Structures are given as C-alpha cells and as structure tokens.
Coordinates of all heavy atoms in Angstrom, one line a residue:
M16 N -176.2 -45.2 54.9 CA -175.7 -46.0 53.9 C -176.4 -45.7 52.5 O -175.7 -45.7 51.5 CB -176.0 -47.5 54.3 CG -175.7 -48.5 53.1 SD -174.1 -48.4 52.3 CE -173.0 -48.8 53.6
T17 N -177.7 -45.4 52.6 CA -178.4 -45.1 51.3 C -177.8 -43.9 50.7 O -177.6 -43.8 49.4 CB -179.9 -44.9 51.6 OG1 -180.4 -46.1 52.2 CG2 -180.6 -44.6 50.3
D18 N -177.4 -42.9 51.4 CA -176.8 -41.6 50.9 C -175.5 -41.9 50.2 O -175.2 -41.4 49.2 CB -176.7 -40.6 52.0 CG -178.0 -40.0 52.4 OD1 -179.0 -40.1 51.7 OD2 -178.1 -39.5 53.5
D19 N -174.7 -42.7 50.9 CA -173.3 -43.1 50.4 C -173.5 -43.9 49.1 O -172.8 -43.6 48.1 CB -172.5 -43.9 51.4 CG -171.2 -44.3 50.9 OD1 -170.6 -43.5 50.1 OD2 -170.6 -45.3 51.3
L20 N -174.4 -44.8 49.1 CA -174.6 -45.6 47.9 C -175.1 -44.8 46.7 O -174.6 -44.8 45.6 CB -175.7 -46.7 48.2 CG -176.0 -47.7 47.2 CD1 -174.8 -48.5 46.7 CD2 -177.1 -48.7 47.7
K21 N -176.1 -43.9 47.0 CA -176.6 -43.0 45.9 C -175.5 -42.1 45.4 O -175.4 -41.9 44.2 CB -177.8 -42.3 46.5 CG -178.5 -41.4 45.4 CD -179.8 -40.9 45.8 CE -180.4 -40.1 44.7 NZ -181.9 -40.2 44.7
S22 N -174.7 -41.5 46.3 CA -173.7 -40.6 45.9 C -172.7 -41.3 45.0 O -172.3 -40.7 44.0 CB -173.0 -40.1 47.2 OG -171.8 -39.3 46.8
R23 N -172.3 -42.5 45.3 CA -171.3 -43.3 44.5 C -171.9 -43.5 43.1 O -171.2 -43.4 42.1 CB -171.0 -44.6 45.1 CG -170.1 -44.5 46.3 CD -169.9 -45.8 47.0 NE -169.2 -45.7 48.3 CZ -168.1 -46.3 48.6 NH1 -167.5 -47.1 47.7 NH2 -167.6 -46.2 49.8
L24 N -173.2 -43.9 43.1 CA -173.8 -44.3 41.8 C -174.0 -43.0 40.9 O -173.9 -43.0 39.7 CB -175.1 -45.0 42.0 CG -174.9 -46.4 42.6 CD1 -176.2 -47.0 43.1 CD2 -174.2 -47.4 41.6
E25 N -174.4 -41.9 41.6 CA -174.6 -40.7 40.8 C -173.3 -40.2 40.2 O -173.3 -39.6 39.1 CB -175.3 -39.6 41.7 CG -176.8 -39.9 42.0 CD -177.4 -38.9 42.9 OE1 -176.7 -38.2 43.7 OE2 -178.6 -38.8 42.8
E26 N -172.3 -40.3 41.0 CA -171.0 -39.9 40.5 C -170.6 -40.8 39.2 O -170.1 -40.2 38.3 CB -169.9 -40.0 41.5 CG -168.6 -39.5 41.1 CD -167.5 -39.5 42.2 OE1 -167.9 -39.4 43.4 OE2 -166.3 -39.7 41.9
A27 N -170.8 -42.1 39.3 CA -170.4 -43.0 38.2 C -171.3 -42.8 37.0 O -170.9 -43.0 35.9 CB -170.4 -44.4 38.7
F28 N -172.6 -42.6 37.3 CA -173.6 -42.5 36.2 C -174.2 -41.1 36.2 O -175.4 -41.0 36.3 CB -174.6 -43.6 36.3 CG -174.1 -45.0 36.3 CD1 -173.9 -45.7 37.5 CD2 -173.7 -45.6 35.2 CE1 -173.3 -46.9 37.6 CE2 -173.1 -46.9 35.2 CZ -172.9 -47.5 36.4
G29 N -173.4 -40.1 36.1 CA -173.8 -38.7 36.3 C -174.9 -38.2 35.4 O -175.6 -37.3 35.7
D30 N -175.0 -38.8 34.2 CA -176.0 -38.4 33.3 C -177.4 -39.0 33.6 O -178.4 -38.6 33.0 CB -175.7 -38.8 31.9 CG -175.8 -40.3 31.6 OD1 -175.4 -41.0 32.5 OD2 -176.3 -40.7 30.6
G31 N -177.4 -39.9 34.6 CA -178.6 -40.7 34.8 C -179.4 -40.3 36.0 O -179.1 -39.4 36.7
N32 N -180.4 -41.1 36.2 CA -181.3 -41.0 37.4 C -181.1 -42.2 38.3 O -181.3 -43.3 37.8 CB -182.8 -40.8 36.9 CG -183.7 -40.6 38.1 OD1 -183.4 -40.1 39.1 ND2 -184.9 -41.0 37.9
V33 N -180.8 -42.0 39.5 CA -180.6 -43.1 40.5 C -181.7 -43.1 41.5 O -181.9 -42.1 42.2 CB -179.2 -43.0 41.1 CG1 -179.0 -44.1 42.1 CG2 -178.1 -43.0 40.1
D34 N -182.4 -44.2 41.7 CA -183.3 -44.4 42.8 C -182.9 -45.6 43.6 O -182.6 -46.6 43.0 CB -184.8 -44.6 42.2 CG -185.3 -43.4 41.6 OD1 -185.2 -42.3 42.2 OD2 -185.9 -43.5 40.5
I35 N -183.0 -45.4 44.9 CA -182.6 -46.5 45.8 C -183.6 -46.7 46.9 O -184.1 -45.7 47.5 CB -181.2 -46.2 46.5 CG1 -180.1 -46.1 45.4 CG2 -180.9 -47.3 47.5 CD1 -178.8 -45.6 45.9
A36 N -184.0 -47.9 47.1 CA -184.9 -48.3 48.2 C -184.3 -49.4 49.0 O -183.5 -50.2 48.5 CB -186.2 -48.7 47.6
G37 N -184.6 -49.4 50.3 CA -184.1 -50.5 51.1 C -183.7 -50.0 52.5 O -183.8 -48.8 52.8
E38 N -183.3 -51.0 53.3 CA -182.9 -50.6 54.6 C -181.9 -51.7 55.1 O -181.8 -52.7 54.5 CB -184.1 -50.6 55.6 CG -184.9 -51.8 55.6 CD -186.2 -51.7 56.4 OE1 -187.0 -50.7 56.2 OE2 -186.3 -52.5 57.4
G39 N -181.2 -51.3 56.2 CA -180.2 -52.2 56.7 C -179.1 -52.4 55.6 O -178.5 -51.5 55.2
N40 N -178.9 -53.7 55.2 CA -177.9 -54.0 54.2 C -178.5 -54.6 52.9 O -177.8 -55.3 52.2 CB -176.8 -54.8 54.8 CG -177.3 -56.1 55.3 OD1 -178.5 -56.5 55.2 ND2 -176.4 -57.0 55.9
R41 N -179.8 -54.4 52.7 CA -180.5 -54.9 51.5 C -181.1 -53.7 50.7 O -181.8 -52.9 51.3 CB -181.5 -55.9 51.9 CG -181.0 -57.1 52.7 CD -182.1 -57.9 53.2 NE -181.5 -59.0 54.0 CZ -181.2 -60.2 53.6 NH1 -181.4 -60.5 52.3 NH2 -180.7 -61.1 54.4
F42 N -180.8 -53.7 49.4 CA -181.2 -52.5 48.6 C -181.7 -52.9 47.3 O -181.3 -54.0 46.7 CB -180.0 -51.6 48.4 CG -179.5 -51.0 49.7 CD1 -178.4 -51.6 50.4 CD2 -180.1 -49.9 50.2 CE1 -178.0 -51.1 51.6 CE2 -179.6 -49.3 51.4 CZ -178.6 -49.9 52.1
E43 N -182.6 -52.1 46.8 CA -183.0 -52.2 45.4 C -182.6 -50.9 44.7 O -182.8 -49.8 45.2 CB -184.6 -52.3 45.3 CG -185.1 -53.6 45.8 CD -186.6 -53.6 45.7 OE1 -187.2 -52.9 44.9 OE2 -187.2 -54.4 46.5
I44 N -181.9 -51.1 43.6 CA -181.3 -50.0 42.9 C -181.9 -49.9 41.5 O -181.9 -50.9 40.8 CB -179.7 -50.1 42.7 CG1 -179.1 -50.2 44.1 CG2 -179.2 -49.0 41.9 CD1 -177.6 -50.6 44.1
H45 N -182.4 -48.8 41.1 CA -182.9 -48.5 39.7 C -182.1 -47.4 39.1 O -182.2 -46.3 39.7 CB -184.4 -48.3 39.7 CG -184.9 -48.1 38.4 ND1 -185.7 -47.0 37.9 CD2 -184.9 -48.9 37.3 CE1 -186.0 -47.2 36.7 NE2 -185.5 -48.3 36.3
I46 N -181.4 -47.6 38.0 CA -180.6 -46.6 37.4 C -181.1 -46.5 35.9 O -181.2 -47.5 35.2 CB -179.1 -46.9 37.4 CG1 -178.7 -47.0 38.9 CG2 -178.4 -45.7 36.7 CD1 -177.2 -47.5 39.0
V47 N -181.4 -45.2 35.5 CA -181.6 -44.9 34.1 C -180.5 -44.1 33.6 O -180.3 -43.0 34.1 CB -183.0 -44.2 33.9 CG1 -183.2 -43.9 32.5 CG2 -184.1 -45.0 34.5
S48 N -179.7 -44.6 32.7 CA -178.5 -43.9 32.2 C -178.2 -44.3 30.7 O -178.3 -45.4 30.3 CB -177.3 -44.3 33.1 OG -176.1 -43.7 32.5
A49 N -177.8 -43.3 30.0 CA -177.3 -43.5 28.6 C -176.1 -44.4 28.6 O -175.8 -45.0 27.6 CB -177.1 -42.2 27.9
A50 N -175.4 -44.5 29.7 CA -174.2 -45.3 29.8 C -174.5 -46.8 29.5 O -173.6 -47.5 29.2 CB -173.5 -45.1 31.2
F51 N -175.7 -47.2 29.7 CA -176.1 -48.6 29.5 C -176.4 -48.9 28.0 O -176.7 -50.0 27.7 CB -177.3 -49.0 30.4 CG -177.0 -48.8 31.8 CD1 -177.8 -48.1 32.6 CD2 -175.8 -49.3 32.4 CE1 -177.6 -48.0 34.0 CE2 -175.5 -49.2 33.7 CZ -176.4 -48.5 34.5
D52 N -176.5 -47.9 27.2 CA -176.8 -48.1 25.8 C -175.8 -49.0 25.1 O -174.6 -48.9 25.2 CB -176.8 -46.7 25.0 CG -177.4 -46.8 23.6 OD1 -178.4 -47.6 23.5 OD2 -176.9 -46.2 22.7
G53 N -176.4 -50.1 24.5 CA -175.5 -51.0 23.8 C -175.0 -52.2 24.7 O -174.3 -53.1 24.2
L54 N -175.3 -52.1 25.9 CA -174.9 -53.1 26.9 C -176.0 -54.1 27.2 O -177.2 -53.7 27.3 CB -174.4 -52.5 28.2 CG -173.2 -51.6 28.1 CD1 -172.9 -51.1 29.5 CD2 -172.0 -52.2 27.5
N55 N -175.7 -55.4 27.3 CA -176.7 -56.3 27.7 C -176.9 -56.3 29.2 O -176.2 -55.6 29.9 CB -176.4 -57.8 27.2 CG -175.1 -58.3 27.9 OD1 -174.8 -58.1 29.0 ND2 -174.4 -59.2 27.1
R56 N -177.9 -57.0 29.7 CA -178.3 -56.9 31.1 C -177.1 -57.3 32.0 O -176.9 -56.6 33.0 CB -179.5 -57.8 31.4 CG -180.1 -57.7 32.7 CD -181.3 -58.6 32.9 NE -180.8 -60.0 32.9 CZ -181.0 -60.8 33.9 NH1 -181.7 -60.4 34.9 NH2 -180.6 -62.0 33.8
V57 N -176.4 -58.3 31.7 CA -175.2 -58.7 32.5 C -174.2 -57.6 32.6 O -173.6 -57.3 33.6 CB -174.6 -60.0 32.0 CG1 -173.3 -60.4 32.7 CG2 -175.6 -61.1 32.1
K58 N -173.8 -57.0 31.4 CA -172.8 -56.0 31.4 C -173.3 -54.7 32.2 O -172.5 -54.1 32.8 CB -172.5 -55.6 29.9 CG -171.8 -56.7 29.1 CD -170.4 -56.9 29.6 CE -169.7 -57.9 28.8 NZ -168.4 -58.3 29.3
R59 N -174.5 -54.4 32.1 CA -175.1 -53.3 32.9 C -174.9 -53.6 34.4 O -174.5 -52.7 35.1 CB -176.6 -53.1 32.5 CG -176.8 -52.6 31.1 CD -178.2 -52.6 30.8 NE -178.4 -52.2 29.4 CZ -179.6 -51.8 28.9 NH1 -180.7 -51.7 29.6 NH2 -179.7 -51.6 27.6
Q60 N -175.3 -54.8 34.8 CA -175.1 -55.1 36.2 C -173.7 -55.1 36.6 O -173.3 -54.6 37.7 CB -175.8 -56.4 36.5 CG -177.3 -56.3 36.5 CD -178.0 -57.6 36.9 OE1 -177.4 -58.6 37.2 NE2 -179.3 -57.5 37.0
Q61 N -172.8 -55.6 35.8 CA -171.4 -55.5 36.1 C -170.9 -54.1 36.3 O -170.0 -53.8 37.1 CB -170.6 -56.3 35.0 CG -170.7 -57.8 35.0 CD -170.1 -58.5 33.8 OE1 -169.8 -57.8 32.8 NE2 -169.8 -59.7 34.0
A62 N -171.4 -53.2 35.5 CA -171.0 -51.8 35.6 C -171.4 -51.2 36.9 O -170.7 -50.5 37.6 CB -171.6 -51.0 34.5
V63 N -172.6 -51.6 37.4 CA -173.1 -51.1 38.7 C -172.3 -51.8 39.8 O -171.8 -51.1 40.8 CB -174.6 -51.4 38.9 CG1 -175.0 -51.0 40.3 CG2 -175.4 -50.6 37.8
Y64 N -172.0 -53.1 39.7 CA -171.2 -53.8 40.7 C -169.8 -53.3 40.8 O -169.2 -53.2 41.9 CB -171.2 -55.3 40.4 CG -172.4 -56.1 40.8 CD1 -173.1 -56.8 39.9 CD2 -172.8 -56.1 42.2 CE1 -174.2 -57.6 40.3 CE2 -173.9 -56.8 42.6 CZ -174.6 -57.5 41.6 OH -175.8 -58.2 42.0
A65 N -169.3 -52.8 39.7 CA -167.9 -52.2 39.8 C -167.9 -51.0 40.7 O -166.9 -50.7 41.3 CB -167.5 -51.8 38.4
V66 N -169.0 -50.3 40.7 CA -169.1 -49.1 41.6 C -169.3 -49.4 43.0 O -168.8 -48.8 43.9 CB -170.2 -48.1 41.1 CG1 -170.4 -46.9 42.0 CG2 -169.9 -47.7 39.6
I67 N -170.1 -50.4 43.3 CA -170.5 -50.8 44.7 C -169.8 -52.0 45.3 O -170.1 -52.4 46.4 CB -172.0 -50.9 44.8 CG1 -172.5 -52.2 44.0 CG2 -172.8 -49.7 44.4 CD1 -174.0 -52.5 44.2
G68 N -168.9 -52.5 44.5 CA -168.2 -53.8 44.9 C -167.5 -53.6 46.3 O -167.5 -54.6 47.1
E69 N -166.9 -52.5 46.6 CA -166.3 -52.3 47.8 C -167.2 -52.4 49.0 O -166.9 -52.9 50.1 CB -165.6 -50.9 47.8 CG -164.9 -50.5 49.1 CD -164.4 -49.1 49.0 OE1 -163.8 -48.7 48.0 OE2 -164.6 -48.3 50.0
L70 N -168.4 -51.9 48.8 CA -169.5 -51.9 49.8 C -170.0 -53.3 50.1 O -170.3 -53.7 51.2 CB -170.6 -51.0 49.5 CG -170.3 -49.5 49.4 CD1 -171.5 -48.7 48.9 CD2 -169.9 -49.0 50.8
I71 N -170.0 -54.1 49.0 CA -170.4 -55.5 49.1 C -169.3 -56.3 49.8 O -169.6 -57.1 50.7 CB -170.7 -56.1 47.7 CG1 -172.0 -55.4 47.1 CG2 -170.9 -57.6 47.8 CD1 -172.2 -55.8 45.7
A72 N -168.1 -56.1 49.4 CA -166.9 -56.8 50.0 C -166.8 -56.5 51.5 O -166.5 -57.4 52.3 CB -165.7 -56.4 49.3
S73 N -167.2 -55.3 51.9 CA -167.0 -54.9 53.3 C -168.2 -55.5 54.2 O -168.2 -55.4 55.4 CB -167.0 -53.4 53.5 OG -168.2 -52.8 53.2
G74 N -169.3 -55.9 53.5 CA -170.5 -56.4 54.2 C -171.5 -55.3 54.4 O -172.6 -55.6 55.0
A75 N -171.2 -54.1 54.0 CA -172.1 -53.0 54.2 C -173.4 -53.2 53.4 O -174.5 -52.8 53.8 CB -171.5 -51.6 53.8
I76 N -173.2 -53.9 52.2 CA -174.4 -54.3 51.4 C -174.3 -55.8 51.4 O -173.3 -56.4 51.0 CB -174.3 -53.8 50.0 CG1 -174.4 -52.2 50.0 CG2 -175.4 -54.4 49.1 CD1 -174.3 -51.6 48.7
H77 N -175.5 -56.5 51.7 CA -175.5 -57.9 51.7 C -176.3 -58.4 50.5 O -175.9 -59.4 49.9 CB -176.2 -58.4 53.0 CG -176.5 -59.9 53.0 ND1 -175.5 -60.8 53.1 CD2 -177.6 -60.6 52.8 CE1 -176.0 -62.0 53.0 NE2 -177.3 -61.9 52.9
A78 N -177.4 -57.7 50.2 CA -178.2 -58.1 49.0 C -178.6 -56.9 48.2 O -178.9 -55.9 48.8 CB -179.4 -58.9 49.5
V79 N -178.6 -57.1 46.9 CA -178.9 -55.9 46.0 C -179.6 -56.5 44.8 O -179.3 -57.5 44.3 CB -177.6 -55.1 45.6 CG1 -176.7 -55.9 44.8 CG2 -178.0 -53.9 44.9
T80 N -180.7 -55.7 44.4 CA -181.4 -56.0 43.2 C -181.2 -54.8 42.3 O -181.4 -53.6 42.7 CB -182.9 -56.2 43.5 OG1 -183.1 -57.2 44.4 CG2 -183.7 -56.5 42.2
I81 N -180.7 -55.0 41.1 CA -180.4 -53.9 40.2 C -181.3 -54.0 39.0 O -181.4 -55.0 38.3 CB -178.9 -54.1 39.7 CG1 -177.9 -54.0 40.9 CG2 -178.6 -53.0 38.7 CD1 -176.5 -54.4 40.6
T82 N -181.8 -52.8 38.7 CA -182.5 -52.6 37.4 C -181.8 -51.4 36.7 O -181.7 -50.3 37.3 CB -184.0 -52.2 37.6 OG1 -184.6 -53.2 38.4 CG2 -184.7 -52.0 36.3
A83 N -181.2 -51.7 35.6 CA -180.4 -50.7 34.8 C -181.0 -50.6 33.4 O -180.9 -51.6 32.7 CB -179.0 -51.1 34.8
T84 N -181.5 -49.4 33.1 CA -182.1 -49.2 31.8 C -181.6 -47.9 31.1 O -181.0 -47.1 31.8 CB -183.6 -49.1 31.9 OG1 -183.9 -48.0 32.8 CG2 -184.2 -50.4 32.5
T85 N -181.8 -47.8 29.9 CA -181.4 -46.6 29.1 C -182.7 -45.7 29.2 O -183.8 -46.1 29.4 CB -181.1 -46.9 27.7 OG1 -182.2 -47.4 27.0 CG2 -179.9 -47.9 27.6
P86 N -182.4 -44.4 28.9 CA -183.6 -43.5 28.8 C -184.7 -43.9 27.8 O -185.9 -43.8 28.1 CB -183.0 -42.1 28.4 CG -181.6 -42.2 29.0 CD -181.2 -43.7 28.8
D87 N -184.3 -44.5 26.7 CA -185.2 -44.9 25.7 C -186.1 -46.1 26.2 O -187.2 -46.2 25.9 CB -184.5 -45.3 24.4 CG -184.0 -44.1 23.7 OD1 -184.4 -43.0 23.9 OD2 -183.1 -44.3 22.8
E88 N -185.5 -47.0 27.0 CA -186.2 -48.1 27.5 C -187.1 -47.7 28.6 O -188.0 -48.5 29.0 CB -185.2 -49.2 28.0 CG -184.3 -49.8 27.0 CD -183.2 -50.6 27.5 OE1 -182.8 -50.4 28.7 OE2 -182.7 -51.5 26.8
N89 N -186.9 -46.6 29.3 CA -187.6 -46.2 30.4 C -188.9 -45.4 30.1 O -189.6 -45.1 31.0 CB -186.7 -45.4 31.4 CG -187.2 -45.4 32.8 OD1 -187.6 -46.4 33.3 ND2 -187.3 -44.2 33.4
T90 N -189.1 -45.1 28.8 CA -190.2 -44.3 28.5 C -191.5 -45.1 28.3 O -191.5 -46.3 28.2 CB -190.0 -43.5 27.2 OG1 -189.7 -44.4 26.2 CG2 -188.9 -42.5 27.4

C-alpha cells in the first residue's frame, strides 16, 4: 500500500519530495512541492486528498496525517 500511495503522490506532485510513514491503513504523509505555493493549509490538504480520495473511499486508507509545504518553507 505504501508503494501505491507514494507512486500516486509522486505522479501528482512530480516536482516535489514525498515521504510516507505508517502501516496497515494509517499513514503520515509529508510532501514538499512548489505546487503548494500560494495555497493555504486547507487547500494544500484538499490537493492531496484529491489524489488519494479513491484509496480513502475504498477503505485502503483509514487515517492520514498530511504535512504539505513549499520548498521555501521546508528550509
């Protein structure tokens, strides 16, 4: 599951760095991407949920914590 999740996120946020931790159906996602520039925290999380929503709806992911930052914020 972690590989599928990471693959989806890397495809969607190709310019960024995706780190995933977790097991079973609970994950922590940290993404650093220029795609988040100019977006508030809620919009950033919505962008990530748009990519993984199918996995949540199917029950493959039950709980997720998202940290989404821009490269400038991550330095």
